[in-house]
Amino acid sequence: MKTVLVLGGSGFIGSHLVASLLPDYRVVDYSAVPLATAPAADRYQYVAGNYCEEQDFEGLLRMYQPFAVYHFISTTTPRNGTAHVAQEVDQNLLPTIRLLEAACRLGVERIIFPSSGGTVYGEGVAGCPHQEKEPLVPICSYGVQKMAIEGLLRMYQHMHGIRTLIARVSNPYGLCQQSGRTQGIIPILLQKLHREEPITLFGETVRDYIYIDDVTRAMVCLLTYGGEESVFNIGSGQGTHLHQLVRQIEEISGKRFASVEQEDIRSCDVRTSVLDISLAARELDWVPRVTLEDGIRRTLRDMGL
């Protein structure tokens, strides 16, 4: 049975991926904290580590000999300002270079990286979903670093032959069953609705929301993909206005928000971001199965609200 290394297996996407891989692969989970409920020990191994400070990726790879690595660890989120940029480069780009050097020396077959479809393209145009071949013009440090890691992956593939695959994920949302951690604005809004707290909306943005189960399926597809493409948009392919999302949550839950306050859009946010997912549909035979309405209902259920 082949072994897969998941860097960040206790995170939001990583924990869902680990559960999906275990029926068919041995999984090594390299994370700062273990999963709340560890899977069967015969196929799952937890390794405690600090990715930002890790100096011995070669030892890790030699010990477990994975044929593939999922690189899910990131210490950054989109935010205003630039005071944090140097620290983020230290914590994300430099460890990635050490990982790639070790992976090439040890003969890892492929590395799969979840980039940010919501930030790397920069500002979108209404009615024109982003396509994989268009220029990347991110406006926040988070997107710039994702773009830089994509560039590093392509460079090492070109120079050393290691297969690298990039999934530009739009705006994933849902609940991590292992830790109870949520991801995305949808669970945040649901929690505030449940607590009868006011909400603040920043601008009238348009986003491409995708439920976690669909993201995980795409990540599994990349593990066996043998075609020529290397970058895929992973999203719903549909844009939803922020106020439309609020109304939809109210309709599905049968409740109203205590109050809705409006602020200007943040400088780190684009107004429109929607992905064209036709390449993933054609090459990976993947399309999202969970509609936004069904995803909101599932998240409500999973959060016990």
Side-chain angles (χ1 to χ4, degrees):
M1 182 176 289
K2 290 186 175 181
T3 298
V4 176
L5 171 62
V6 180
L7 301 175
S10 64
F12 175 58
I13 299 177
S15 60
H16 284 269
L17 178 67
V18 167
S20 296
L21 292 175
L22 280 172
D24 301 307
Y25 301 93
R26 294 188 183 92
V27 178
V28 178
D29 168 15
Y30 175 97
S31 302
V33 295
L35 290 170
T37 304
D42 60 332
R43 291 191 181 182
Y44 172 81
Q45 175 69 50
Y46 169 68
V47 178
N50 184 332
Y51 179 77
C52 301
E53 299 179 1
E54 183 64 66
Q55 300 294 323
D56 189 23
F57 285 114
E58 187 166 330
L60 177 70
L61 297 174
R62 180 174 284 110
M63 176 175 292
Y64 295 103
Q65 300 183 1
F67 86 99
V69 176
Y70 284 93
H71 176 8
F72 284 164
I73 295 179
S74 175
T75 66
T76 67
T77 56
R79 49 181 167 167
N80 290 334
T82 57
H84 50 279
V85 174
Q87 180 184 21
E88 291 176 349
V89 169
D90 250 1
Q91 294 177 340
N92 293 280
L93 298 189
L94 298 182
T96 297
I97 293 170
R98 294 195 291 269
L99 169 67
L100 288 168
E101 288 286 335
C104 291
R105 287 195 295 268
L106 271 294
V108 172
E109 295 178 23
R110 65 178 58 195
I111 292 183
I112 300 169
F113 174 66
S115 188
S116 171
T119 64
V120 295
Y121 292 109
E123 187 61 74
V125 178
C128 298
H130 293 296
Q131 297 182 327
E132 289 88 349
K133 301 298 184 182
E134 70 182 72
L136 304 183
V137 193
I139 63 171
C140 66
S141 173
Y142 179 78
V144 168
Q145 290 188 64
K146 292 291 188 181
M147 180 180 68
I149 292 176
E150 286 191 23
L152 289 169
L153 291 168
R154 284 191 287 268
M155 182 183 75
Y156 276 83
Q157 176 170 284
H158 173 73
M159 289 187 169
H160 300 284
I162 187 171
R163 185 76 162 103
T164 62
L165 293 152
I166 297 162
R168 291 179 182 156
V169 184
S170 57
N171 290 79
Y173 67 94
L175 176 75
C176 176
Q177 297 284 6
Q178 285 282 344
S179 67
R181 173 189 171 191
T182 60
Q183 174 83 20
I185 190 174
I186 290 174
I188 292 173
L189 291 176
L190 291 174
Q191 192 67 261
K192 287 185 174 293
L193 182 66
H194 175 69
R195 295 174 178 171
E196 300 182 344
E197 297 175 350
I199 61 172
T200 300
L201 306 182
F202 294 92
E204 178 53 293
T205 55
V206 178
R207 294 289 182 267
D208 183 332
Y209 300 104
I210 182 167
Y211 187 65
I212 181 60
D213 288 0
D214 284 326
V215 177
T216 303
R217 283 194 305 105
M219 293 297 175
V220 173
C221 289
L222 291 174
L223 194 57
T224 56
Y225 173 66
E228 297 298 319
E229 302 294 337
S230 60
V231 181
F232 299 93
N233 285 337
I234 303 299
S236 70
Q238 304 293 322
T240 301
H241 288 262
L242 186 54
H243 285 83
Q244 177 187 351
L245 175 65
V246 169
R247 290 193 299 270
Q248 192 164 3
I249 287 174
E250 289 181 330
E251 290 172 4
I252 291 171
S253 65
K255 300 179 181 180
R256 298 293 298 273
F257 285 99
S259 67
V260 180
E261 300 175 6
Q262 187 70 50
E263 297 284 348
D264 291 337
I265 192 170
R266 302 180 304 173
S267 63
C268 62
D269 291 334
V270 297
R271 296 184 182 278
T272 301
S273 178
V274 183
L275 304 184
D276 181 332
I277 58 173
S278 57
L279 182 64
R282 183 172 68 251
E283 291 288 320
L284 303 178
D285 192 25
W286 172 91
V287 292
R289 297 173 180 170
V290 181
T291 65
L292 180 58
E293 179 180 350
D294 191 23
I296 292 171
R297 293 187 187 279
R298 291 189 189 193
T299 306
L300 267 169
R301 178 201 65 201
D302 292 342
M303 294 174 70
L305 302 179

